[in-house]
Amino acid sequence: MSATLEKNGTWTSQFRYEDIYGNTKHKCKRGFATEEEADEFEDSFLRRTSGSLDMRFADFVEVYGEDMRPFIRENTWNTKEYMINDKIIPFFGKKRLRDITTQDILAWQNGILEARKRNGEPYSGTYVRTLDAQLVAIMAHAERYYGLSPNPCAKSPRIGEHEAQEMAFWSKEEYLRFSEFLSDDPVMFTSVEVLYWTGLRLGELLALTPNDIDFNRCEIHVRHSFRRIKGGKETMTPPKTEKSVRKVVMPEFLRDEIRDYIENVSGAAFNERIFKDIDSRKIRDALDAGIEATGVPRIRIHDLRHSHVSLLIDMGYSAVAIAERTGHESTDITYRYAHMMPDTQEKMAEALSGYRG
């Protein structure tokens, strides 16, 4: 090891190494409190650079990130990174990659299943499944590209649920009762109106500018999605999928509400965000207060989108038409909302009977 003691009492790690192209490089990092920390940095850096399976899991996560980030949307990677740092690295971080066993995977899974949120509730089945899938993805990457064998996830069971719990939604009557509660709060009222009557995703709503709205045609042009990431950084990205870039035609009353909101409340300039004063927390708080006051069923923000789809199904629109409006694949609409169309098969059979004569 090549750690040196500086005059200020800190240690510096300075060494040469060969990159994957055979080029000799120089690495220097200062400010370590002890010689052991400086030596540990050099050791972990060299293992990581060489792709050695003796590297710590936390170091391999950095390798995984360098390999995968160019292929993943920034928002998606930020979500993955948060889950990895918060729920996976605390357990596996200091273990050498080659030393992780199936028993370690099982112990981590049991810990996740037993963990509780701040309110005392367990994590949802879909969240548990997402965490488990992320660990599996990291280990599969180590197996596929760095020779990890055996893969400790290969024999461990998958935990969590593929599908979310049954989605909640409001009928038109329930929504109108709730929205009346918000009528004295133009910020919350208008934002929730847009979510319910258009089916926009929250990020799509928060990204809207006056430039995205054609008031003459009653159209919302969905072009971006807004999100705040760690450190409070604001980011605009393309919507979730290619089909999510779309035009959504509004009812005239909603067009008028949005125009009134821009002119008298928001004051947003042509390219400024209309709903810059709200975020997911404020909308959740408004939902909680309204639900408590009106007695309507409890739903999440995203369930306003489900409610819009349910409304369109009840009005008799096809899966293809609904998918075009909401930015889904038509097969997704058919699969996710099939339980809202209970009479479809019966109606088909009746029509075929009449057709045969």
Side-chain angles (χ1 to χ4, degrees):
M1 297 297 177
S2 51
T4 55
L5 181 63
E6 305 291 347
K7 291 181 180 179
N8 63 2
T10 63
W11 289 82
T12 295
S13 176
Q14 189 168 191
F15 53 90
R16 296 187 179 278
Y17 69 98
E18 190 174 275
D19 67 15
I20 59 174
Y21 303 106
N23 301 314
T24 300
K25 298 287 187 70
H26 174 257
K27 183 69 176 178
C28 179
K29 186 170 183 179
R30 306 179 187 278
F32 294 100
T34 66
E35 182 179 11
E36 289 75 17
E37 289 179 4
D39 287 341
E40 182 181 354
F41 169 78
E42 179 181 348
D43 181 63
S44 64
F45 182 90
L46 293 175
R47 292 182 190 280
R48 187 178 68 201
T49 303
S50 66
S52 169
L53 295 175
D54 288 326
M55 76 176 89
R56 298 180 309 159
F57 179 86
D59 292 325
F60 182 74
V61 166
E62 292 187 28
V63 175
Y64 173 75
E66 291 168 1
D67 291 345
M68 298 303 296
R69 283 194 76 161
F71 307 101
I72 299 176
R73 287 162 53 100
E74 183 179 8
N75 283 354
T76 303
W77 175 256
N78 289 332
T79 300
K80 291 165 72 73
E81 187 176 42
Y82 176 81
M83 289 191 298
I84 292 168
N85 290 336
D86 191 54
K87 296 294 188 294
I88 299 178
I89 284 183
F91 186 93
F92 293 104
K94 293 183 178 180
K95 296 178 181 291
R96 291 196 312 167
L97 196 59
R98 71 164 69 253
D99 291 339
I100 296 175
T101 65
T102 299
Q103 287 71 30
D104 292 325
I105 305 297
L106 292 172
W108 173 81
Q109 289 176 329
N110 286 330
I112 293 297
L113 292 171
E114 294 169 3
R116 294 294 181 269
K117 296 184 286 188
R118 291 181 181 179
N119 62 6
E121 295 180 357
Y123 293 120
S124 70
T126 50
Y127 182 66
V128 168
R129 188 73 174 192
T130 301
L131 290 174
D132 187 60
Q134 183 56 73
L135 177 59
V136 169
I138 293 172
M139 290 303 188
H141 192 79
E143 178 184 23
R144 186 175 300 116
Y145 299 107
Y146 294 90
L148 178 65
S149 183
N151 181 341
C153 288
K155 293 184 178 180
S156 64
R158 303 281 64 82
I159 58 174
E161 300 171 1
H162 275 297
E163 298 300 324
Q165 298 173 352
E166 185 174 348
M167 64 185 69
F169 60 92
W170 282 338
S171 66
K172 181 184 71 174
E173 291 72 25
E174 289 168 336
Y175 173 72
L176 291 176
R177 193 190 331 161
F178 169 84
S179 65
E180 185 176 353
F181 170 80
L182 293 179
S183 58
D184 292 332
D185 184 344
V187 177
M188 285 298 114
F189 175 80
T190 308
S191 59
V192 174
E193 280 277 277
V194 176
L195 291 172
Y196 182 82
W197 294 109
T198 68
L200 263 63
R201 300 177 178 92
L202 178 60
E204 295 169 348
L205 169 81
L206 297 180
L208 289 179
T209 69
N211 187 38
D212 296 319
I213 301 176
D214 186 331
F215 289 100
N216 292 325
R217 296 177 177 271
C218 287
E219 290 178 349
I220 293 176
H221 294 235
V222 180
R223 302 182 177 105
H224 300 96
S225 183
F226 172 85
R227 188 177 181 187
R228 286 189 180 91
I229 56 179
K230 60 182 180 180
K233 178 184 175 184
E234 297 182 351
T235 179
M236 286 278 207
T237 64
K240 187 174 182 181
T241 66
E242 289 185 9
K243 284 186 173 293
S244 296
V245 179
R246 64 197 188 279
K247 288 187 292 188
V248 179
V249 181
M250 300 176 283
E252 290 185 1
F253 72 81
L254 183 61
R255 184 264 320 266
D256 296 339
E257 288 172 352
I258 296 174
R259 180 158 50 195
D260 181 68
Y261 178 77
I262 293 172
E263 293 176 352
N264 299 308
V265 181
S266 172
F270 197 59
N271 287 308
E272 289 183 336
R273 290 194 303 114
I274 298 171
F275 298 101
K276 58 182 179 295
D277 295 325
I278 64 171
D279 54 29
S280 59
R281 180 185 59 79
K282 291 180 179 178
I283 297 180
R284 280 197 300 270
D285 289 345
L287 285 178
D288 289 342
I291 288 167
E292 183 70 24
T294 61
V296 296
R298 183 163 297 279
I299 67 170
R300 306 161 300 168
I301 296 174
H302 195 70
D303 290 325
L304 291 168
R305 180 168 163 86
H306 296 320
S307 298
H308 183 68
V309 173
S310 171
L311 183 66
L312 297 178
I313 291 173
D314 191 54
M315 294 170 70
Y317 289 100
S318 69
V320 173
I322 296 171
E324 182 180 354
R325 180 174 179 82
T326 58
H328 278 116
E329 295 284 349
S330 58
T331 52
D332 291 339
I333 295 292
T334 303
Y335 177 74
R336 295 181 187 179
Y337 300 94
H339 61 288
M340 296 181 183
M341 309 176 193
D343 299 327
T344 301
Q345 290 284 356
E346 287 79 1
K347 289 179 180 178
M348 286 180 180
E350 290 175 8
L352 289 169
S353 296
Y355 183 77
R356 184 176 184 272

